[in-house]
Amino acid sequence: MTRKQTRLSVIAGGMSFIIAAVFLVMFAFSQSVAYFYMPGDLAKAPVAPETRIRLGGLVSAGSVVRGTGSTVEFAVTDGSTNAVKVQYTGILPDLFREGQGVVTEGMFASGSNVFVADTVLAKHDETYLPKEVADRLKQQGLWQERQGGQSQEPGAGSNPGQRQEEKSTP
């Protein structure tokens, strides 16, 4: 082989290695992607069963039902009439409760409209919601901005029409 042929074969081998690595990385990313949906989105365009997604919204009041063992069923809503029934087996986060923001990850069971979650994330304090959930709830008027840039749910905190008493020091 001449020097030119050797150089071309090394370059061709290196390029084929890089192309194979890119395809493997793209395949791995496509297997781990979970798109974010809210119940209203799922009502408009349902996803195929056994497609991994993230479902976010608020836990519906009166929907938490504890089953046998560590199985829990609850409904996630986005404030509209749409609610998605979720089934989760495992230990729930400490801050999980009705009316709180939640993001679940899993898939719909085949032949059913029950979302089987394998991960449940609850908001970690009184002012946090995932950005996607907070933005959607703000659009629907269910989440309001407080003074100082913090968010709050309607009804939480003081009534805007109510005057707060000021303390004066002598």
Side-chain angles (χ1 to χ4, degrees):
M1 267 179 141
T2 64
R3 288 179 67 190
K4 185 176 183 179
Q5 290 174 331
T6 305
R7 188 178 317 134
L8 286 175
S9 64
V10 169
I11 290 173
M15 291 297 284
S16 63
F17 177 76
I18 289 172
I19 290 171
V22 167
F23 280 127
L24 287 174
V25 168
M26 289 174 57
F27 178 74
F29 278 139
S30 70
Q31 297 297 315
S32 66
V33 170
Y35 294 103
F36 182 83
Y37 292 91
M38 291 189 72
D41 299 335
L42 294 174
K44 293 175 189 170
V47 297
E50 300 187 14
T51 300
R52 188 162 188 79
I53 65 168
R54 286 186 177 163
L55 173 66
L58 300 173
V59 178
S60 296
S63 68
V64 178
V65 177
R66 301 202 183 267
T68 59
S70 60
T71 301
V72 178
E73 292 183 358
F74 56 94
V76 174
T77 184
D78 57 359
S80 64
T81 59
N82 303 314
V84 176
K85 187 175 180 181
V86 178
Q87 181 180 11
Y88 175 69
T89 302
I91 299 172
L92 289 169
D94 290 338
L95 294 175
F96 177 87
R97 64 183 149 258
E98 296 172 357
Q100 294 285 2
V102 67
V103 175
T104 60
E105 190 170 334
M107 58 186 75
F108 282 97
S110 57
S112 172
N113 61 350
V114 175
F115 185 76
V116 179
D118 53 33
T119 305
V120 174
L121 305 170
K123 66 182 195 175
H124 63 79
D125 72 355
E126 64 197 39
T127 59
Y128 174 77
L129 262 185
K131 182 173 177 11
E132 297 92 358
V133 174
D135 289 344
R136 296 274 177 94
L137 292 174
K138 285 176 190 174
Q139 288 174 354
Q140 296 172 357
L142 295 172
W143 193 260
Q144 301 171 353
E145 288 293 324
R146 241 196 286 176
Q147 291 177 348
Q150 295 176 326
S151 297
Q152 75 174 19
E153 296 177 50
S158 63
N159 185 352
Q162 214 175 23
R163 284 188 50 200
Q164 294 183 354
E165 296 181 25
E166 295 182 18
K167 292 184 180 180
S168 59
T169 54

